[in-house]
Structure formats: structure tokens, C-alpha cells
Amino acid sequence: MPPHVPSHYEVLGVPVTASEADLKRAYRRAARLHHPDHGGDVIEFRRVTLAYEVLSDPKRRTEYDRSYFTSAPQQESARGAGAGTPPSSGAGRTTPGGSFRARAASREAGRRNPSGEPAVYVPPFAPGTTPLVPAEVAARAEHGIPRRRGLFGADARIQRELRTAALIRRQVLTSIPAARLFNGLRSPASSVHIAHAVLAGYRLALVDSMLVPAGNYAWDGAHLLHGGRVVAPPRLAEQVRHFQNLFPELNVQGFVLVQTPQENLHEPVIDVRRGTEGLIEPRNAAKFLRELTFFLASGPQPNVVFVPAFARLLTGLH
């Protein structure tokens, strides 16, 4: 793992929900501590100054948050990886759109599934420290509103996303206590919105959905085919690549849920043509829930809420 690069919030020692007054107090405290005239370190003082310059300007702070803390990064990093750094071996990593395969577990025989255990926060909320996210916020399982801007078809999109969020809430969040659902993220690379993201341990699932008439469909690797109808799924693979670059400590996977008006978990029936490869495979609700849950639950430490990633996703909500 590369050395941990602290965010502006970490440098000032404030949560991502900090007010303007909180930022000013934190800056004054940190500036006194690190000022070279008082025996402080020049590099640390520069970090503090840069952090305050960005976060005290509402426009620059918004841009910084929407870029998931990558704009104007703290270049110098004298700190090593912090507590809670995930395993760097890459175990369990899958490629976007790839198949899911059960991997040999290093657990003792008979041990219960860690994904069903109570959530553990990394780093932990310790007395006397200021976390990136308040404990009461991190404890909430769902964040954001299932809504995307747009003039045409907005009502249909909102209803589709409400259904998707409800499905994840009922079927996934209840089985994985550490899973956290984010509705309505901004893409770091464009004006595109990501409908949903689910974080559990060191795995992140990006989710989008589509609504089609009930029936039998074929997936050819790029389109859903139904009689003479050709339907292209949401272009999620590009966003998966962007988020994987932004969150190298996580395993990022994309999922496309195909819904029908009847809300039958097993509709539509989607036949995948032999040898099909390409974009992320669209799945009906039954298969979507099964593979999303497997992906999140089979990762390393699925009962962990990784607070640094949680904080970055929280600031990326629209």
C-alpha cells in the first residue's frame, strides 16, 4: 500500500460535517502548533495552511468534496498508513463485470459468517479524538436521496431508484450490519450521477438500474434483446474504473439491476449467450441480490465500517 495521504479534514482534525466556525478554530489551533516561529515543522504548517485555504472557501470546499478529496491533495506525506488500512494482498479482488467465485476461506471450521456480526468501526471512535464522521452519522445504514436531476423521465427514474434503494435496504442491509447505502453520488469524472453505492468492509458496489417490460431477454454482452427490441444498459463500467482509481484500498464492482413493472424478483428472465463478455451483466432482482450480497459478504472483514472511505462517499452525495 502507498503511504496514506491525509485529507484536508484530517490535517485540521475536523469531521467532514465541520462548520465554518469549527474550521476556523481548528486552523488557529493547528497553526499555533506547527508554526515554524514556534518550533513547528514547515511541511506540516504548509499542510495546515493549504487545508484551511481550501475548506474555508465554500466553492473550493464543494469542488474538493465532489472530487472525493483528490483536488489539491496534500502532496507531502510523512505519515504511514493509518490504523485500519485494509489488507494489501488483493485477495478476493474481481474485475468489473467478472464472474463471482467462492474463494478458500482462512476461517476456522464452524465459525459464523463475519458479515453477520455487529459493525466495527475502523479507525475506532475513541474518546478525545475527532473522527472524520460523527459516530451517530456513521451508525446510520442509509444516506442520501434516491434522486437524479433531469427534465425528461425524471419521475420514472426517481421511482426506479426508490424501488432499488428499498430492495437493497430490505435484503442486503439487514443481512450485513456493516453495509452502508449511499443514494445519489456524483461522478468524479463527469456530470454523471451514480444512483447507488454500497460500502461493506473494503468492498464497494456501484449500482444502477433499468426498467423494462416483463418477458424473456437475451444478453449479448452489450445489449438486452427482446424480439425486435434492443435495450442498452446504463454505462456503469466507466464509473467503476474511476472509483477504483479513487479508492485503491477498496475492491470496486458494478451491478445493473433490471426491473419490471410487476416487481417480480424473478422477472425478467435474462438468458446470457454462451461466451458472452463485455459490459457489466444486467441481472434481475433475484440474481442481483444474490450476487451483490455474496460480493459484499465474501470480502475481507465485511463487518468493518471503513470510516475514511465512508467520509469520502458522504461528501460526494448530490
Side-chain angles (χ1 to χ4, degrees), residues 7-28:
S7 69
H8 293 326
Y9 293 100
E10 291 173 290
V11 168
L12 293 181
V14 295
V16 296
T17 55
S19 65
E20 184 178 345
D22 294 333
L23 291 171
K24 187 173 293 186
R25 285 193 294 268
Y27 170 66
R28 289 174 177 170

Side-chain angles (χ1 to χ4, degrees), residues 87-149:
S88 59
S89 63
R93 181 171 295 278
T94 57
T95 57
S99 61
F100 295 100
R101 296 181 181 178
R103 297 179 182 272
S106 59
R107 315 170 184 143
E108 298 177 2
R111 180 181 176 186
R112 65 192 181 116
N113 183 359
S115 66
E117 296 178 358
V120 174
Y121 297 90
V122 176
F125 294 101
T129 63
T130 304
L132 274 171
V133 180
E136 62 274 15
V137 175
R140 291 193 346 238
E142 186 172 359
H143 302 266
I145 302 172
R147 184 175 302 159
R148 294 191 296 183
R149 295 178 180 177

